[in-house]
């Protein structure tokens, strides 16, 4: 979230349910001088409406990616970009990638993700 803010993304908000990780995130933001500029909220990502989000960054386990992909496809606008750290979305083709190994990130533009998904659905036998 701090890095997103540094890159000019506003608002910069993180959602976390784990109280320890929430405290750690707020502490790190404070220590880096970004207290009050970024927010970390104790909210369930599955219950948050993401329809007004244009930049989504996720660091989640591979097992969570398929159901999250369904939520993101349903809620995000076409202009949104999703960046996944450590693990890619298995059924999406990234627009770009950066880094290697544990430091790798995958970027996905929702308009392109939807276009590919629609093309695959139209091309599959019914």
């Amino acid at each position: 979230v701090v890095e997103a803010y540094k890159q000019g993304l506003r608002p910069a908000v993180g959602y976390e349910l784990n109280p320890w990780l929430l405290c750690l995130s707020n502490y790190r933001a404070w220590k880096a001088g970004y207290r009050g500029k970024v927010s970390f909220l104790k909210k369930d990502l599955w219950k948050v409406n993401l329809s007004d989000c244009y930049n989504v960054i996720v660091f989640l386990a591979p097992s969570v990616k398929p159901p999250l992909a369904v939520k993101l496809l349903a809620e995000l606008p076409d202009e949104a970009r999703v960046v996944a750290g450590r693990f890619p979305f298995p059924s999406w083709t990234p627009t770009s990638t950066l880094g290697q190994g544990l430091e790798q990130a995958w970027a996905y533009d929702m308009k392109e993700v939807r276009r590919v998904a629609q093309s695959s659905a139209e091309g599959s036998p019914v």
Side-chain angles (χ1 to χ4, degrees):
V1 175
V2 169
E3 188 58 36
Y5 183 87
K6 288 179 184 178
Q7 297 298 320
L9 302 178
R10 308 284 192 282
V13 179
Y15 299 114
E16 180 59 62
L17 280 177
N18 182 316
W20 295 107
L21 292 177
L22 189 62
C23 285
L24 179 62
S25 297
N26 280 309
Y27 170 74
R28 287 184 174 169
W30 169 80
K31 190 172 181 179
Y34 291 93
R35 182 175 181 258
K37 297 177 182 174
V38 301
S39 301
F40 296 94
L41 306 175
K42 186 176 182 183
K43 290 195 176 188
D44 185 340
L45 180 63
W46 301 107
K47 295 178 182 175
V48 173
N49 182 336
L50 301 173
S51 62
D52 63 346
C53 295
Y54 290 88
N55 296 284
V56 176
I57 303 166
V58 295
F59 292 91
L60 297 169
S63 61
V64 180
K65 295 292 175 73
L68 181 59
V70 173
K71 177 179 175 59
L72 296 176
L73 279 167
E75 295 181 12
L76 291 179
D78 275 349
E79 300 79 21
R81 174 171 267 199
V82 176
V83 176
R86 294 244 167 113
F87 306 105
F89 282 88
S91 61
W92 291 2
T93 302
T95 305
S96 61
T97 62
L98 182 65
Q100 295 179 347
L102 294 178
E103 299 299 319
Q104 188 165 4
W106 294 261
Y108 306 90
D109 292 331
M110 292 308 296
K111 188 172 189 174
E112 182 63 14
V113 169
R114 287 191 177 100
R115 187 192 66 73
V116 170
Q118 185 176 9
S119 295
S120 297
E122 290 173 356
S124 63
V126 179

